[in-house]
Structure formats: structure tokens, C-alpha cells
Amino acid sequence: MPYLIAIVVLVGALCLLDLLLTLGVIRRLREQTKLIDALYEAVGTGVLAGADSGLPVGEVVGDFDATTVDGARVTRDLLPEGTVVAFMSPDCQGCHEQLPEVASWAAGQDRSRVLAVVDGRSGDPAPLVTKLSPVAQVIVEEAPSRVANAFRVQSFPTFFQVAEGGKLLARAPRISRLTAGSPAVATAGSSERQAEEQPA
């Protein structure tokens, strides 16, 4: 009988120890998950991107030649004045968080002046392509990443605006932070002002 009691006490102690270890592992996993989420958020919003995440404003984009999912050819020299180029990745949490904002913004622009470049090497690009195709020209890049290399992209998402000929006008981690503004919006605003200035 004493042996049975000792075995039960020992098993109980082992179970308690196992429970404490399991709780410790769960707590550690939660802490690591929070750190990973914070890292994704920092990368996604461009906090970690720094000055080297993309071509500096004022420089000319490198030459590239690519084809959209619709079969249209896109090169640096074919980009219209004021084109906004968005670089996004399937495994980027920040990209998916900003996707509704990007799609909503692009819906109000000239589709020929919005180019979305999706990294096809890091996951399934289909959700991004499906959401962006109606409002933007979309390129899915496999290796080598000619367009991303031309813009020197190092983090996702990153947004650029270029002048005709490929000179970089603006660069930002969010579409709303592009300072150059959309030529479509600017043109519309100019037309409205001109209409107001014309005598009745």
C-alpha cells in the first residue's frame, strides 16, 4: 500500500511538473508571436526599410522589360507620366493589411497609370492579383525580379511614383504617403479650376 501511494504521488508530481513546463512553453510562444507580429508590422509599414529600401528620389529607374497578367508589355520608357508602382508580396502581412486601401485608391485612378508588381516567389500571388487586376496593371515576378531590381526594392510593400522616362518622383511605405500626387487627380482638379475660372 505505501508503495502505491508513493507511485501515485510521484505520478502526480510529474504531471504537475509537465503542466508547469507546458504553461511556460505556451507563454514563451506567445511572447515570440508578439515579437514576430511587431517585426512584420515594422517591415510592412516601412519602419525598417530605411533610406536604402528602394531607389532614391530623383534618380532614374533601371531599365526593365516585363509582361502584365493581361499580356501587355511594360518597360521603363513606356510608363506614362506620374505612374504609381506598387510592390507587394503574398507573404507580407503589411501588404495584405494595406491591400483594401491600395485597391480603393487605385479604383479612382487611371488604370494605365497604376502598376502593381507582385512577388511570385514568396507564396500564392492569386489573392493579390485578383484584387488588383481590375484597378491596376499587374505583373507577377518570378526569378529574376527585373522590375524589383530596377527599383532596388528591398522590402514590401513599397510604393513609387515616376515621371515619364523613369525619373523617380516619390517613394513611400504607404500609398497615402506619396507626396507627388496622382496625375489623374491633378488633371481633374485643374479642369475643375479652369471651368470655375471661365466666365459664365
Side-chain angles (χ1 to χ4, degrees):
M1 188 67 178
Y3 293 107
L4 181 60
I5 295 174
I7 291 173
V8 170
V9 170
L10 180 61
V11 170
L14 290 174
C15 289
L16 180 61
L17 178 62
D18 182 60
L19 177 62
L20 292 174
L21 290 175
T22 301
L23 291 175
V25 169
I26 292 173
R27 185 177 63 179
R28 181 61 61 90
L29 287 174
R30 285 178 178 172
E31 291 174 355
Q32 290 182 351
T33 300
K34 288 180 180 178
L35 290 173
I36 291 172
D37 288 343
L39 179 61
Y40 271 122
E41 181 178 356
V43 172
T45 56
V47 172
L48 299 183
D52 296 329
S53 180
L55 195 70
V57 173
E59 291 195 17
V60 177
V61 174
D63 197 14
F64 65 87
D65 195 327
T67 304
T68 69
V69 294
D70 297 326
R73 183 183 179 216
V74 180
T75 70
R76 177 193 63 190
D77 296 330
L78 290 176
L79 293 177
E81 176 73 24
T83 297
V84 170
V85 185
F87 288 88
M88 308 187 84
S89 174
D91 68 349
C92 163
Q93 181 178 341
C95 295
H96 290 283
E97 289 175 353
Q98 294 190 42
L99 183 58
E101 177 187 357
V102 174
S104 176
W105 175 88
Q109 311 303 316
D110 180 351
R111 186 175 182 271
S112 67
R113 285 188 168 95
V114 182
L115 177 64
V117 183
V118 179
D119 184 1
R121 303 166 301 169
S122 58
D124 182 11
L128 293 174
V129 173
T130 300
K131 187 74 172 178
L132 294 171
S133 290
V135 295
Q137 299 183 86
V138 179
I139 294 172
V140 176
E141 279 212 305
E142 306 291 347
S145 303
R146 293 185 177 89
V147 186
N149 290 339
F151 282 82
R152 300 183 197 168
V153 173
Q154 297 181 15
S155 66
F156 299 95
T158 304
F159 302 91
F160 299 88
Q161 189 167 38
V162 297
E164 187 175 2
K167 183 178 180 180
L168 193 64
L169 299 175
R171 181 188 72 201
R174 297 191 75 94
I175 194 75
S176 58
R177 294 184 187 176
L178 285 179
T179 56
S182 165
V185 173
T187 301
S190 299
S191 300
E192 291 173 2
R193 286 193 297 271
Q194 289 174 2
E196 291 172 358
E197 292 170 0
Q198 288 178 355

